[in-house]
């Protein structure tokens, strides 16, 4: 009888430990997702500022939700301009330097921003 009680107590402890570990994992995952969403919002804002400063005739910028955070902390974002899905944009926002590093924008640059990237 004593052997069964020890086995039952061991199973209860293992189960409770597993539940606790699962809860901790879920909290960590939720915190990481919230951090990614915050980074994505910041990247959209900086990319919008960059595009409106450096390119002509930008009325609207639509971003897709297929972003990717790279291991170095940058985030790759995609979208299109003025409601035209053929006028694509793509850029990598570097949070450490607070700038848009690499980018592709299907629009005409402003004359003063052709030779260099204008401050945004």
């Amino acid at each position: 009888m004593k052997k069964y009680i020890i086995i039952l107590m061991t199973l209860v402890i293992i189960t409770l430990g597993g539940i606790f570990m699962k809860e901790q994992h879920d909290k960590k995952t939720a915190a990481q997702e919230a951090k990614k969403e915050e980074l994505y919002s910041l990247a959209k804002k900086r990319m919008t500022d960059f595009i409106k400063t450096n390119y002509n005739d930008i009325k609207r910028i639509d971003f897709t939700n297929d972003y990717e955070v790279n291991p170095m902390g940058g985030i790759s974002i995609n979208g299109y301009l003025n409601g035209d899905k053929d006028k694509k944009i793509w850029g990598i926002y570097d949070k450490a330097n607070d700038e848009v590093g690499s980018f592709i924008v299907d629009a005409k640059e402003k004359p003063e921003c052709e030779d260099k990237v204008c401050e945004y």
Side-chain angles (χ1 to χ4, degrees), residues 28-61:
K28 184 177 176 184
T29 303
Q32 287 174 342
E33 286 300 316
K35 206 172 186 181
K36 281 183 184 179
E37 287 295 323
E38 181 181 325
L39 179 61
Y40 181 56
S41 295
L42 179 60
K44 287 192 308 187
K45 180 187 178 320
R46 294 298 286 159
M47 189 72 170
T48 300
D49 294 344
F50 170 78
I51 291 171
K52 287 187 176 182
T53 301
N54 288 283
Y55 293 91
N56 284 325
D57 302 324
I58 305 300
K59 294 172 187 65
R60 189 173 99 195
I61 300 172

Side-chain angles (χ1 to χ4, degrees), residues 12-28:
V12 167
I13 290 171
I14 290 172
T15 302
L16 290 176
I19 291 170
F20 176 76
M21 294 300 289
K22 173 73 170 119
E23 256 184 55
Q24 294 300 314
H25 175 70
D26 290 346
K27 284 180 185 177
K28 184 177 176 184

Side-chain angles (χ1 to χ4, degrees), residues 4 10-11 25 29 32-33 36 43 49 53 60 66 69 74 76-77 79 91 98 102 109 112 117:
Y4 293 116
T10 303
L11 289 174
H25 175 70
T29 303
Q32 287 174 342
E33 286 300 316
K36 281 183 184 179
D49 294 344
T53 301
R60 189 173 99 195
D66 59 337
V69 178
S76 171
I77 57 177
D98 192 33
S102 301
E109 292 178 315
E112 63 272 14
V117 175

Side-chain angles (χ1 to χ4, degrees), residues 67-82:
Y67 63 90
E68 184 177 320
V69 178
N70 67 33
M72 297 298 289
I75 183 168
S76 171
I77 57 177
N78 300 300
Y80 51 93
L81 300 171
N82 300 331

